[in-house]
Amino acid sequence: MLLRTVLIRLLTTAITLFGVAVVVFTLVRVAPGNPIAMMLPPGATEQDIANLTALYGFDKSLPHQFVIWLSGVVQGDFGTSITLRRPVSELVLSRLPATLELSVMALFIAVALGGFVAVLGARRRNSATEVGLDLSSGAVLSIPDFLWGLIFVLLFGVLWPVLSISGRIDPRIEFDFTTNYYVLEGLLRGRFDVVGSTLGHMLMPAMSLALPLAAMIAQLLKQNLKEELLKDYTTLTRVRGFTETAVILREALRNAALPTLALVGVQFTFLIGGTVIVERLFAYEGLGNMAIDAVINRDLPLIQGIVMLFAALFIVINLAVDLSYTLLNPRLRHG
């Protein structure tokens, strides 16, 4: 049953990626503007434009261009960036670790903060504390991530300048990275100054991304906890002498967390997409910042490569969440 589900999802994934490829390829080419003209100096001749157009294959029909591009994508070749003159796959993979580290840190903050608020709200259910937490969660959720970023820049970058507001690491730190996973490599090589600087630069953008997700997690998890606390097995646990906090953490939380897992997985994909604006705001050297540059410069191969990577990440994460939910839920696993 599980194997059949995996095979169906993989087939669906392939079809979805093909659809994304068709859509993004078509949209970036029907958009106004000539990327070739942006590459040439003002005094370029018509022959120069024709030569560069032929070099990038823009002189061929759209179906022909699509077939050439898709055949390269299947082999891992996304073409060459028009503005940076480097392979798109190399550029994308060089920035992907920064975005993944930022997204994972934001996810950890959101789960920890949202889980704490949910447990506290369930522990103090039907009280003024729960009402206050609900109002606070609603207020936090109503503010988008980029606005949180602006608030943090104003508070901790201008009024009380205690955190870094741009970049990914302190430029004064000398460290020869072999990968672009700064935190992981710093930990493995014992360079805690690298880890501390990287986390310090990530803190404000990660918090900006995490707060709306934390509010969603808090609301859903608290509601699930309240439902679980009304069931017989939690009543029996109380009869055995456990405190209300112990009942929540030992018994109710495990069952209440399952529906929340699906929300976290789905919202994690949106969180990765939300890095585009937040990375730009904090001058963070990630994939989202590069995506904005690619759009501004109308770098078609780079835009296509970034969108395809984002689409693949979304699909893979959703697939992993669905399979995890199936494995963790006995009713679905044995159904």
Side-chain angles (χ1 to χ4, degrees):
M1 180 66 179
L2 184 59
L3 178 60
R4 180 172 176 270
T5 302
V6 172
L7 292 176
I8 292 175
R9 289 303 302 270
L10 289 176
L11 178 61
T12 306
T13 297
I15 296 173
T16 303
L17 285 176
F18 178 78
V20 171
V22 172
V23 172
V24 67
F25 184 87
T26 304
L27 288 179
V28 296
R29 276 162 175 75
V30 300
N34 185 357
I36 298 300
M38 298 178 64
M39 299 173 59
L40 295 171
T45 64
E46 292 294 332
Q47 186 61 43
D48 293 332
I49 297 176
N51 291 338
L52 201 56
T53 300
L55 177 64
Y56 282 93
F58 294 151
D59 58 334
K60 301 178 175 61
S61 65
L62 283 181
H64 192 183
Q65 291 182 46
F66 178 73
V67 170
I68 294 174
W69 175 71
L70 188 61
S71 62
V73 169
V74 172
Q75 302 173 43
D77 180 12
F78 289 84
T80 302
S81 168
I82 293 176
T83 54
L84 301 176
R85 311 293 177 88
R86 290 172 57 190
V88 170
S89 56
E90 176 185 321
L91 291 170
V92 169
L93 292 178
S94 68
R95 291 291 190 95
L96 178 61
T99 297
L100 289 180
E101 284 189 341
L102 176 61
S103 301
V104 170
M105 182 177 180
L107 181 65
F108 281 149
I109 294 174
V111 171
L113 185 59
F116 173 77
V117 172
V119 171
L120 180 60
R123 179 67 179 82
R124 302 292 182 86
R125 58 192 179 277
N126 303 323
S127 68
T129 301
E130 182 188 4
V131 174
L133 291 174
D134 287 343
L135 292 175
S136 300
S137 296
V140 169
L141 188 57
S142 66
I143 301 176
D145 47 25
F146 69 88
L147 188 53
W148 278 116
L150 291 173
I151 293 172
F152 287 140
V153 168
L154 177 62
L155 292 178
F156 304 112
V158 178
L159 298 179
W160 188 32
V162 294
L163 294 174
S164 301
I165 61 174
S166 65
R168 191 180 174 196
I169 192 171
D170 191 336
R172 294 172 295 182
I173 294 180
E174 296 183 1
F175 189 74
D176 185 20
F177 290 100
T178 56
T179 70
N180 287 320
Y181 292 95
Y182 288 8
V183 175
L184 181 60
E185 189 171 348
L187 287 172
L188 292 177
R189 296 170 62 176
R191 287 293 303 270
F192 297 106
D193 57 333
V194 172
V195 176
S197 178
T198 305
L199 293 177
H201 281 75
M202 283 198 299
L203 183 57
M204 282 201 292
M207 284 294 295
S208 304
L209 294 167
L211 285 179
L213 178 56
M216 298 173 91
I217 292 173
Q219 290 178 347
L220 178 61
L221 183 57
K222 189 204 70 172
Q223 187 60 38
N224 292 334
L225 282 171
K226 290 176 67 175
E227 293 176 0
E228 294 296 325
L229 290 172
L230 295 176
K231 295 182 179 179
D232 292 339
Y233 75 93
T234 57
T235 302
L236 292 174
T237 306
R238 294 187 191 93
V239 172
R240 292 167 56 190
F242 288 98
T243 64
E244 191 68 13
T245 302
V247 172
I248 294 173
L249 297 179
R250 289 170 56 95
E251 302 293 337
L253 184 60
R254 178 174 50 191
N255 295 325
L258 278 177
T260 310
L261 174 64
L263 171 73
V264 170
V266 172
Q267 291 299 320
F268 183 51
T269 59
F270 291 107
L271 186 147
I272 294 177
T275 60
V276 173
I277 300 178
V278 172
E279 284 182 3
R280 192 68 171 189
L281 178 62
F282 289 95
Y284 187 81
E285 301 171 0
L287 199 58
N289 205 349
M290 178 182 283
I292 293 179
D293 287 333
V295 172
I296 293 174
N297 297 319
R298 210 166 186 278
D299 193 332
L300 304 189
L302 188 55
I303 294 172
Q304 292 166 177
I306 292 174
V307 172
M308 288 299 297
L309 179 62
F310 272 126
L313 284 174
F314 293 168
I315 294 171
V316 169
I317 291 172
N318 284 326
L319 176 61
V321 170
D322 288 347
L323 294 178
S324 300
Y325 190 81
T326 301
L327 291 173
L328 294 174
N329 194 326
R331 290 174 294 182
L332 295 178
R333 188 170 63 247
H334 301 296

